[in-house]
Amino acid sequence: MNQLPVEVCEEIFKNLNLQGVLSARRTCRRWRQIVDGSPALMSRVHLKPPLLVMDRNCTPICSIPARAVTLKDTTVLTIDSWWESIGPELTFLRLENCVISTETLVALLGKTSNLRYLSYACDNDVAETESDFTLDKLKQLEVYSAQTQILDIFDRICPRLKQFRFGQSQNDRKLGEFLQKKKTSLEIVQLISIENILHDVLQMKVLTSLDVQADTFGNETLEQIGAALPTLSNLRVTLQWQPSSLSPTFLNLMPELTSLTIFGQYRQNSPVLADFSDLEGLTKLKKLHLTRVQPLNLKEFLQKTDQFRDLTLHYCHFNAWSEIFTLFASLQSLERLDFGKIRTPTADITMSDFFRNLKYLKIAHCYLSLETLKSFTEHCENLVEVDFNFKYVLDGETVRSLCRTWKRSEKVDISKVYDC
């Protein structure tokens, strides 16, 4: 193997699990150089040191040039020598519930010139601190902190952000100002609350993906988003204390959508009623995810696109299972189906040959009979991945039948099938 080119050895090592990669690295100098020089292999090494305090007496965490590090519940007093062997190689860094001063944080980040992902989940007081560097490779930033002043520092040192997530439910003007400053570079944004910063969000014309939720999130707000950001390709909306019905006419304003998620919160134990009638249809839509929604006229809506591939229905309400399977039968290009906790008044089911097109099937916690479960074996002959979670005990013959039918599947998980 020592005669093989580096590229060939690297491809061989990629088939090993992490322990195997580390064992190969210890074999000889050449293999160590191959592993250490491969970003694909080293990105799998994620260090999570259990240290409580890191100061000048701290020894290097590990001799392996890991690309990912998580510091959790750690007091970082100084970086000194222990960070010198780690920081320059990092592409991923997560700081979670750490005690670290603003000055030490800036010094720590100043040694991570190759960083691409940063997650900051700390609530330390923020002080004005000078910085003479920028993290030009950093594309993804996640902030989970009530101290929004930290955004001023990230604004200075992160000039080329593409993806941003703010995980606190508050509307601070610092957040709005940060979004305004990054509106020409940010493409993917995830926000918990947008009531007071909606204007700033609507100015982000280069966005391709938006994930938002709000306590008061109705049709009017969605219409504003659709009108201001018509080029979005991915939209995820979480509805909190909204009215019990939704008219998603905002979709008529967003012809470029390829992925849509509507997540409804229960109000008085009732799902959000979403009427998909009177919509022009999203001709580019490939993926739809509905949670806690009772969809009306969904079949007619989805039939207007011939690119649809992926459907997820969780905690959704339908009048009958036959209504669901009639919907599926109309989606001739469907490849991925994931449905769980479906609620219907009856348990009637009519199977359809549409299952022959499926490559991925997941069904969890639905009220289906064992006979219906077995009938899947007659229709899902091209599945690549299967995941069942049911309250049934499968006998040996049923298991063998499943395996024979899904002989092409690369991954089958029926371990969660159990007795109720």
Side-chain angles (χ1 to χ4, degrees), residues 179-390:
L179 295 177
Q180 280 291 329
K181 293 175 181 178
K182 299 299 180 184
K183 66 181 180 181
T184 59
S185 66
L186 283 175
E187 298 176 357
I188 301 174
V189 171
Q190 297 172 281
L191 302 170
I192 295 296
S193 187
I194 67 168
E195 283 92 341
N196 295 337
I197 57 171
L198 179 61
H199 173 76
D200 303 297
V201 173
L202 300 182
Q203 302 303 310
M204 308 182 73
K205 303 300 183 180
V206 299
L207 279 185
T208 60
S209 177
L210 179 62
D211 181 343
V212 292
Q213 69 181 52
D215 292 334
T216 55
F217 212 161
N219 292 322
E220 182 179 352
T221 303
L222 294 173
E223 291 277 356
Q224 289 180 276
I225 293 175
L229 306 173
T231 59
L232 281 180
S233 60
N234 177 49
L235 176 63
R236 185 182 190 274
V237 176
T238 300
L239 308 171
Q240 295 280 14
W241 293 101
Q242 73 294 328
S244 59
S245 62
L246 173 69
S247 298
T249 51
F250 66 95
L251 298 176
N252 288 331
L253 305 172
M254 311 179 76
E256 300 299 316
L257 271 187
T258 60
S259 177
L260 171 63
T261 297
I262 299 178
F263 189 96
Q265 297 285 355
Y266 272 112
R267 189 185 187 198
Q268 296 179 350
N269 203 31
S270 298
V272 176
L273 185 65
D275 190 348
F276 288 86
S277 61
D278 300 325
L279 297 180
E280 298 173 2
L282 302 177
T283 58
K284 296 184 179 181
L285 188 67
K286 296 181 180 179
K287 180 178 180 180
L288 177 64
H289 182 151
L290 301 179
T291 296
R292 291 171 179 160
V293 173
Q294 183 174 353
L296 302 179
N297 301 300
L298 183 59
K299 175 182 176 181
E300 291 75 10
F301 172 68
L302 294 179
Q303 281 180 324
K304 296 177 181 178
T305 174
D306 57 359
Q307 300 188 45
F308 195 77
R309 300 287 185 274
D310 190 331
L311 180 62
T312 298
L313 301 173
H314 287 169
Y315 293 90
C316 291
H317 287 222
F318 290 86
N319 293 322
W321 274 98
S322 57
E323 177 185 349
I324 302 174
F325 281 84
T326 300
L327 167 65
F328 296 160
S330 68
L331 306 176
Q332 298 301 319
S333 300
L334 191 66
E335 296 179 353
R336 293 177 58 87
L337 173 59
D338 177 350
F339 60 95
K341 293 283 187 176
I342 300 294
R343 294 292 183 266
T344 63
T346 63
D348 66 301
I349 290 184
T350 303
M351 305 302 292
S352 169
D353 283 345
F354 97 95
F355 285 109
R356 300 188 188 282
N357 298 323
L358 280 183
K359 296 181 180 178
Y360 173 89
L361 175 63
K362 180 177 180 178
I363 308 177
H365 302 294
C366 294
Y367 295 97
L368 298 175
S369 67
L370 186 57
E371 289 70 24
T372 299
L373 179 62
K374 291 179 180 178
S375 68
F376 277 99
T377 65
E378 302 174 358
H379 297 86
C380 304
E381 59 186 29
N382 291 312
L383 284 174
V384 175
E385 185 174 346
V386 183
D387 188 348
F388 273 0
N389 188 334
F390 277 88

Side-chain angles (χ1 to χ4, degrees), residues 16-169:
L16 301 176
N17 58 26
L18 178 57
Q19 188 59 47
V21 171
L22 297 180
S23 296
R25 183 181 180 274
R26 293 192 295 266
T27 301
C28 63
R29 180 179 300 176
R30 182 172 185 265
W31 285 16
R32 184 179 64 190
Q33 292 174 341
I34 292 173
V35 172
D36 290 358
S38 169
L41 293 173
M42 291 309 300
S43 64
R44 294 160 59 183
V45 181
H46 192 157
L47 299 181
K48 299 179 181 179
L51 301 178
L52 298 179
V53 178
M54 289 184 168
D55 54 21
R56 60 173 48 92
N57 296 319
C58 183
T59 58
I61 297 175
C62 183
S63 61
I64 301 174
R67 301 297 194 271
V69 167
T70 292
L71 300 180
K72 182 177 181 180
D73 300 324
T74 301
T75 299
V76 183
L77 299 179
T78 179
I79 60 171
D80 283 353
S81 60
W82 67 270
W83 190 248
E84 297 292 336
S85 61
I86 299 175
E89 300 293 336
L90 288 186
T91 60
F92 178 104
L93 175 62
R94 178 183 288 122
L95 302 174
E96 184 176 345
N97 197 31
C98 291
V99 177
I100 181 171
S101 69
T102 309
E103 183 179 1
T104 303
L105 173 66
V106 170
L108 180 144
L109 293 177
K111 302 292 184 180
T112 59
S113 57
N114 288 305
L115 203 62
R116 290 172 171 78
Y117 171 95
L118 171 62
S119 176
Y120 180 82
C122 308
D123 279 325
N124 304 296
D125 291 336
V126 179
E128 286 291 334
T129 304
E130 296 294 327
S131 57
D132 58 358
F133 67 94
T134 57
L135 301 177
D136 294 331
K137 295 182 180 180
L138 188 68
K139 304 299 182 183
Q140 185 173 350
L141 173 65
E142 297 186 359
V143 179
Y144 305 87
S145 175
Q147 304 297 325
T148 52
Q149 296 90 338
I150 195 70
L151 295 176
D152 288 337
I153 294 175
F154 292 143
D155 173 41
R156 294 198 303 269
I157 67 177
C158 309
R160 300 181 180 178
L161 282 182
K162 297 294 184 182
Q163 184 171 344
F164 174 66
R165 175 180 175 85
F166 190 77
Q168 286 286 334
S169 180

